[in-house]
Amino acid sequence: MTGSERIATVVVIGSGQAGLSAAYHLQRRGFASALDEPPAGASRETPTYVVLDADAAAGGAWQHRWESLRMATVNGIFDLPGAPQPAPDPQEPSRLAVPRYFAAYEREHGFPILRPVRVTSVRAADGDADGPLLVETDAGRWRARFVINATGTWTNPVHPVYPGQESFRGRQLHTKEYVDLEEFRGHRVAVVGGGISAVQQLEEISRVATTVWYTRREPVFIEGEFQRETTGRDTIAQVTADVEAGKPSSSIVSYTGLSWTPYAVAARERGALERRPMFTAIEPYGVREADGSFTSVDTILWATGFRAALGHLDPLQLRNDLGGIGLRGTQVLADPRIHLIGFGPSQSTVGANRAGRDAVAAIARRLREDSSRVA
Ligand SMILES: Cc1cc2nc3c(=O)[nH]c(=O)nc-3n(C[C@H](O)[C@H](O)[C@H](O)COP(=O)(O)OP(=O)(O)OC[C@H]3O[C@@H](n4cnc5c(N)ncnc54)[C@H](O)[C@@H]3O)c2cc1C
């Protein structure tokens, strides 16, 4: 494909839960694979699609999650559209179970997925706001009418910057690089961050190491039973309102608070949830506390979360003055050719499913309108 240009009505970027949901609904609505050549001499009437994914294997971000994130400790993974998950072994790492499930789904449906293909940029082909989009990749260019972006967050970890950070003589790593608990045994570890991953990793590491927990704000734990249905609905409504108002997205935990999961309770019982305000600086052998005292640590784990991985869309200038990207449904207000799924209110497995369906429905509607105008 290098050097050539290929054409699809819809390019889906990413094949995690969101991208697979989009592929399922595109196929269901009769979009053909853009990888199949139309019969010689025939003009192509049927809209087409392709999925481009930067990973070498199926599974989206799940294939990269840490070993000890078991099926019993994930927050609940929603079924892909039309495919109930096999009964999970609670002890199996999610990084194995979920990619296996995704791979079987892809095989069953025969989706046109190209991987590893990284999209480097998406831009307008010309000045026509309704004209084609050029999707540049490390394996050639695609020309598309619509882009459904489903690139998740895993490839865009948040790395805060603190004075003196480069002088630190110990090890710094992000949640993304966390694999094996044993590498922390006997160490003094500063865990930074107030989200679910921070609490999970703190609980684990505190079994084998001395930990100190730092967060910018006092973590908010929800007392009493977590009402999944109502809390989930309220959260989605709040995030949707923010995204529709074009506000920059913030972490889901800032909407939901933390719940007293079994691992959070275990961490509390071990004394690991004694939170300290953020340190003010990093020194070669530790951190300078907010009160001016010094704490010696040899490892800093930045469990500081992720942001939507959207750098490849920068040429389209989708951001507003607030720094956010306004959406109506899944459609970007600043450029309705682009749909963002697995983003804002749809950044959960259930949300990703719905968003895939909604994006495809909106595109199908638009194509119908176009053809009735032509007729
Ligand atoms: C640690 C952690 C635990 C979580 N646990 C849960 C949970 O238990 N339940 C739940 O519902 N949600 C959970 N979430 C939220 C979770 O991220 C979503 O639910 C869902 O897995 C995201 O799916 P996705 O399709 O949006 O993105 P991803 O699974 O991240 O897939 C994105 C895909 O896009 C590809 N990609 C990225 N950039 C490019 C590019 N430039 N070009 C081409 N391809 C690209 C990637 O290779 C990847 O395959 C968790 C998140 C984290 C960080």
Side-chain angles (χ1 to χ4, degrees), residues 136-202:
E136 307 286 352
T137 83
D138 56 8
R141 173 191 290 169
W142 284 83
R143 179 176 287 258
R145 174 96 170 77
F146 302 96
V147 162
I148 300 181
N149 191 84
T151 48
T153 60
W154 188 256
T155 53
N156 193 18
V158 175
H159 287 289
V161 175
Y162 277 82
Q165 195 159 7
E166 61 301 332
S167 71
F168 188 57
R169 305 289 285 271
R171 176 176 180 219
Q172 298 186 63
L173 74 166
H174 189 273
T175 298
K176 195 173 181 309
E177 286 116 32
Y178 178 95
V179 180
D180 184 11
L181 177 60
E182 283 309 311
E183 25 177 339
F184 299 91
R185 187 171 287 281
H187 287 233
R188 289 182 56 78
V189 185
V191 178
V192 183
I196 298 169
S197 308
V199 174
Q200 268 185 3
Q201 296 184 338
L202 189 59

Side-chain angles (χ1 to χ4, degrees), residues 1-11 33-38 44 48-50 52 112-114 117 132-137 139-145:
M1 192 162 89
T2 311
S4 62
E5 180 180 279
R6 301 183 75 177
I7 297 175
T9 316
V10 182
V11 169
S33 162
L35 303 180
D36 298 338
E37 294 298 327
R44 175 148 243 173
T48 59
Y49 76 109
V50 69
L52 309 177
I113 302 178
L114 293 179
V117 174
L133 295 161
L134 299 180
V135 179
E136 307 286 352
T137 83
R141 173 191 290 169
W142 284 83
R143 179 176 287 258
R145 174 96 170 77

Side-chain angles (χ1 to χ4, degrees), residues 21-266:
S21 167
Y24 172 85
H25 289 285
L26 285 161
Q27 190 180 65
R28 208 154 171 239
R29 283 178 179 268
F31 284 67
S33 162
L35 303 180
D36 298 338
E37 294 298 327
S43 75
R44 175 148 243 173
E45 300 288 332
T46 312
T48 59
Y49 76 109
V50 69
V51 183
L52 309 177
D53 187 63
D55 271 301
W62 290 102
Q63 65 197 287
H64 305 296
R65 302 236 153 101
W66 57 97
E67 172 79 16
S68 56
L69 188 63
R70 305 290 155 128
M71 293 308 284
T73 43
V74 296
N75 289 330
I77 297 170
F78 215 75
D79 292 345
L80 288 162
Q85 288 171 67
D89 166 0
Q91 287 318 312
E92 186 175 18
S94 57
R95 63 188 293 167
L96 298 180
V98 181
R100 190 171 61 237
Y101 168 54
F102 281 21
Y105 188 71
E106 290 178 8
R107 271 197 307 277
E108 188 192 326
H109 290 278
F111 297 132
I113 302 178
L114 293 179
R115 60 164 72 93
V117 174
R118 175 170 299 282
V119 173
T120 50
S121 73
V122 180
R123 60 193 165 87
D126 53 38
D128 179 358
D130 211 20
L133 295 161
L134 299 180
V135 179
E136 307 286 352
T137 83
D138 56 8
R141 173 191 290 169
W142 284 83
R143 179 176 287 258
R145 174 96 170 77
F146 302 96
V147 162
I148 300 181
N149 191 84
T151 48
T153 60
W154 188 256
T155 53
N156 193 18
V158 175
H159 287 289
V161 175
Y162 277 82
Q165 195 159 7
E166 61 301 332
S167 71
F168 188 57
R169 305 289 285 271
R171 176 176 180 219
Q172 298 186 63
L173 74 166
H174 189 273
T175 298
K176 195 173 181 309
E177 286 116 32
Y178 178 95
V179 180
D180 184 11
L181 177 60
E182 283 309 311
E183 25 177 339
F184 299 91
R185 187 171 287 281
H187 287 233
R188 289 182 56 78
V189 185
V191 178
V192 183
I196 298 169
S197 308
V199 174
Q200 268 185 3
Q201 296 184 338
L202 189 59
E203 189 280 316
E204 288 187 11
I205 297 170
S206 63
R207 293 184 218 155
V208 300
T210 306
T211 55
V212 208
W213 188 27
Y214 296 94
T215 67
R216 278 188 303 174
R217 285 178 288 276
E218 189 71 51
V220 179
F221 280 90
I222 312 296
E223 297 299 335
E225 203 164 317
F226 183 72
Q227 301 294 329
R228 188 175 282 279
E229 279 292 309
T230 46
T231 311
R233 261 201 310 273
D234 292 351
T235 303
I236 289 170
Q238 282 169 29
V239 182
T240 304
D242 282 355
V243 166
E244 289 192 346
K247 293 188 187 162
S249 54
S250 37
S251 68
I252 289 296
V253 81
S254 67
Y255 293 90
T256 58
L258 292 160
S259 29
W260 284 114
T261 50
Y263 57 81
V265 171

Side-chain angles (χ1 to χ4, degrees), residues 290-324:
D291 66 5
S293 63
F294 176 78
T295 298
S296 146
V297 298
D298 48 34
T299 306
I300 302 176
L301 172 63
W302 297 97
T304 38
F306 301 84
R307 289 206 184 94
L310 301 177
H312 53 287
L313 301 181
D314 283 353
L316 295 169
Q317 300 186 320
L318 305 180
R319 293 191 186 275
N320 58 27
D321 293 345
L322 300 171

